[in-house]
Amino acid sequence: KQWYQRRVRGVYLPFISDWLAVFGDNLLVVSLEDYSRYPIPNLLRIYSFLHVSTPDQDSLKEFVENSKRKNERPKSEQSKGDMLRETRRLLEEFYSPYNVELARLLNDTRFLYKY
C-alpha cells in the first residue's frame, strides 16, 4: 500500500488536468528539475507570470543560495549511493505514459522526463 501511495504522488497529470480546467491560462507549471537547474530565470518567469515586481539580482541570488541549502539531500542519505538501475527502469516504465500525456496537455516536451 505504501509503495502504491508513493508512486501515485508522482503522477501529476490528474491534478494538473483538474487545475487547468479551473484556472486555464492562470496556471503556470514549472518542473522542479527546470527550477533546480535554472532557478533565477525561472523565478523571473514566475514573477512575470504573477505580474509582481522583481527583486534585485542580489536578493534573487541570496534567495536561491538559501533555498539550495534547505533542499540538499542530507549527507547521511548521500552515502547510500544512486538508485539501482532496475529500480530506475521500473519507475520510468510506470511514469512514462503519464508523463507523455502531461507533456501533451501542457504542450511542453520538458515534461517528457529523460532520466
Side-chain angles (χ1 to χ4, degrees), residues 77-90:
E77 293 292 320
Q78 292 174 12
S79 65
K80 293 180 181 176
D82 292 332
M83 184 185 303
L84 297 174
R85 280 192 197 133
E86 179 64 8
T87 303
R88 183 173 300 281
R89 186 192 66 73
L90 288 169

Side-chain angles (χ1 to χ4, degrees), residues 3 11-12 15-16 19 34 49 55 61 64 66 73 77 79-81 90 95 100 103 111:
W3 167 241
V11 178
Y12 307 116
F15 305 107
I16 292 176
W19 295 336
D34 276 352
F49 179 81
K61 287 178 185 175
V64 168
N66 289 335
R73 193 171 160 199
E77 293 292 320
S79 65
K80 293 180 181 176
L90 288 169
Y95 286 115
V100 166
F111 292 94

